[in-house]
Amino acid sequence: MQLTKHAHACVVLEKEGTTIVLDPGKFTPDAEAAVAAADAVLITHEHFDHFDDALLGAALDKRPDLHVYGPASVRDKLGEYGGRVRAVASGDALSIGDFAVTVHGERHAVIHPDIPIVANTGYLIDGRVYHPGDAYHVPDVPVEALLLPTSGPWTKLAEAVDFVRNVRPSRLLQIHELMLSELGQNSVAGMLNNLTGLEMTLLAPGDAREL
């Protein structure tokens, strides 16, 4: 499959004519174009940097072939669109074109005790590429390529290191980076490399990799 990085939490996966977009939120300037080319959109949780309900609602109105998957809170905000918006939860398995997707985890990481915790579902694509959303939930199955969030009010380097060590991927790619400067991204990457033994790939928006 081919993975293309977009700003912040959004990535696009393509294989054999099927395109999936994950977390095209309001921090991703080209989210509308990415969604326009997608067969399906996967949303990890309802926060605006991952989920733009107006954008997806407009896309669903225009395209009767578009499908959206996410926690029940996402379905409730968008509406069901005749079953084209589907609520998913941990343990679910999806078939999207040529992709096999499994759903992992239930809760967003704690930001602060005063802030309510929302539902968060991570997605493992083809048993290989794992997008955790805003959580350090460790799937109970092997992961080849881990998309690692590196910035945000909930992230913590020590927990990120333990997350990588517990998932034990063979490849590590950065996502959720917009709250770090270039210097900050390189600094975090260096510490993660030293503490996990894995070299984290830093992709600029528009960069693509074959996985």
Side-chain angles (χ1 to χ4, degrees):
M1 75 181 79
Q2 178 175 276
L3 178 147
T4 302
K5 176 76 172 68
H6 292 256
H8 204 52
C10 182
V11 299
V12 174
L13 298 174
E14 299 171 85
K15 186 183 76 169
E16 301 295 333
T18 300
T19 300
I20 293 176
V21 177
L22 293 98
D23 280 2
K26 294 184 178 180
F27 282 2
T28 303
D30 58 351
E32 183 176 3
V35 169
D39 297 291
V41 177
L42 305 181
I43 302 295
T44 61
H45 64 286
E46 64 188 85
H47 289 164
F48 69 93
D49 55 328
H50 296 251
F51 170 54
D52 186 336
D53 55 344
L55 185 156
L56 287 179
L60 286 160
D61 287 337
K62 291 178 183 176
R63 294 185 47 209
D65 57 336
L66 180 63
H67 293 259
V68 177
Y69 303 85
S73 55
V74 167
R75 189 264 327 271
D76 293 344
K77 287 178 183 294
L78 287 175
E80 294 188 355
Y81 277 86
R84 291 191 291 127
V85 179
R86 176 176 163 184
V88 295
S90 186
D92 285 349
L94 312 171
S95 179
I96 302 173
D98 293 294
F99 286 104
V101 180
T102 53
V103 184
H104 303 266
E106 298 176 348
R107 293 161 57 87
H108 191 287
V110 174
I111 300 171
H112 186 276
D114 290 349
I115 298 176
I117 296 175
V118 300
N120 182 98
T121 54
Y123 298 99
L124 181 62
I125 315 298
D126 281 354
R128 299 177 58 207
V129 180
Y130 182 51
H131 190 311
D134 282 4
Y136 292 135
H137 176 82
V138 178
D140 58 359
V141 293
V143 171
E144 178 183 328
L146 174 62
L147 309 182
L148 180 68
T150 58
S151 76
W154 60 274
T155 59
K156 186 176 180 180
L157 180 63
E159 293 178 358
V161 169
D162 290 341
F163 178 52
V164 174
R165 288 177 175 177
N166 289 329
V167 174
R168 295 184 293 177
S170 56
R171 298 182 69 171
L172 192 60
L173 297 89
Q174 175 183 243
I175 60 168
H176 212 277
E177 75 287 347
L178 282 186
M179 292 185 181
L180 290 177
S181 65
E182 182 179 354
L183 176 62
Q185 292 180 47
N186 287 323
S187 177
V188 168
M191 287 186 279
L192 282 162
N193 296 350
N194 289 336
L195 292 167
T196 68
L198 283 176
E199 182 176 354
M200 184 167 66
T201 301
L202 306 183
L203 298 176
D207 284 353
R209 290 290 188 277
E210 292 292 332
L211 300 176

